[in-house]
Amino acid sequence: MKQEFDAITAQLQVYFDGLHHSDTLQLRRVLHPQARYVCATEETLVNIGMEEYFPIVERRASPASRGEKRRDEIVSIEFAGPKTAFARVRCAVGERHFTDLLTFIKTNAEWQIISKVFHYDLRDAQAAQAN
């Protein structure tokens, strides 16, 4: 099980790197092509596929290009079986501080995120830069 835990941890680092650099090539390595991106933080539910999500990432200035300090962490990883796992992570982009609930599946001997369900809180951007 340690090998599988390490494999998911490695994929989460690719995920964090992809978000920090707004790099959809990296994100495509970790997000399954049929993955869902879901957020209910605002009044309107957001529930989109990768074909809609990747252009959003490509259009935004990356946190790295804005000189933002990396603020990401793995809170927990749990296994439901040999091909299903769940990771709770935290990260930040600008003033948005995210809690991501990521469901992983193992296909073709590789772990990929099949669902990204998240919540975010707004925090003062200047305070975020200081932390």
Side-chain angles (χ1 to χ4, degrees):
M1 193 58 72
K2 176 158 177 22
Q3 181 179 357
E4 301 300 336
F5 184 90
D6 291 346
I8 289 176
T9 299
Q11 285 290 74
L12 287 170
Q13 291 309 312
V14 172
Y15 173 73
F16 291 141
D17 290 344
L19 291 175
H20 189 67
H21 295 283
S22 295
D23 184 342
T24 56
L25 291 177
Q26 286 187 311
L27 291 173
R28 287 177 193 279
R29 289 179 40 210
V30 69
L31 289 159
H32 190 279
Q34 296 174 18
R36 299 305 298 173
Y37 172 98
V38 180
C39 181
T41 300
E42 297 180 12
E43 291 298 316
T44 303
L45 174 69
V46 176
N47 182 349
I48 61 176
M50 296 301 96
E51 67 282 350
E52 296 168 90
Y53 174 60
F54 290 135
I56 293 168
V57 174
E58 290 167 346
R59 283 192 302 267
R60 71 178 177 218
S62 72
S65 72
R66 294 190 305 256
E68 289 183 27
K69 179 180 170 187
R70 287 276 297 254
R71 293 168 285 154
D72 47 58
E73 69 172 314
I74 299 170
V75 176
S76 64
I77 298 172
E78 299 175 32
F79 289 87
K83 294 184 176 184
T84 308
F86 171 81
R88 181 184 184 107
V89 303
R90 291 190 191 113
C91 60
V93 175
E95 63 186 25
R96 291 184 180 192
H97 288 245
F98 297 90
T99 298
D100 292 352
L101 309 173
L102 306 172
T103 305
F104 280 83
I105 58 170
K106 189 173 185 181
T107 59
N108 301 322
E110 181 176 50
W111 288 99
Q112 287 189 300
I113 297 167
I114 193 67
S115 70
K116 169 183 173 154
V117 179
F118 65 95
H119 171 81
Y120 68 86
D121 293 303
L122 295 178
R123 305 215 179 131
D124 180 28
Q126 289 181 344
Q129 284 292 101
N131 290 332

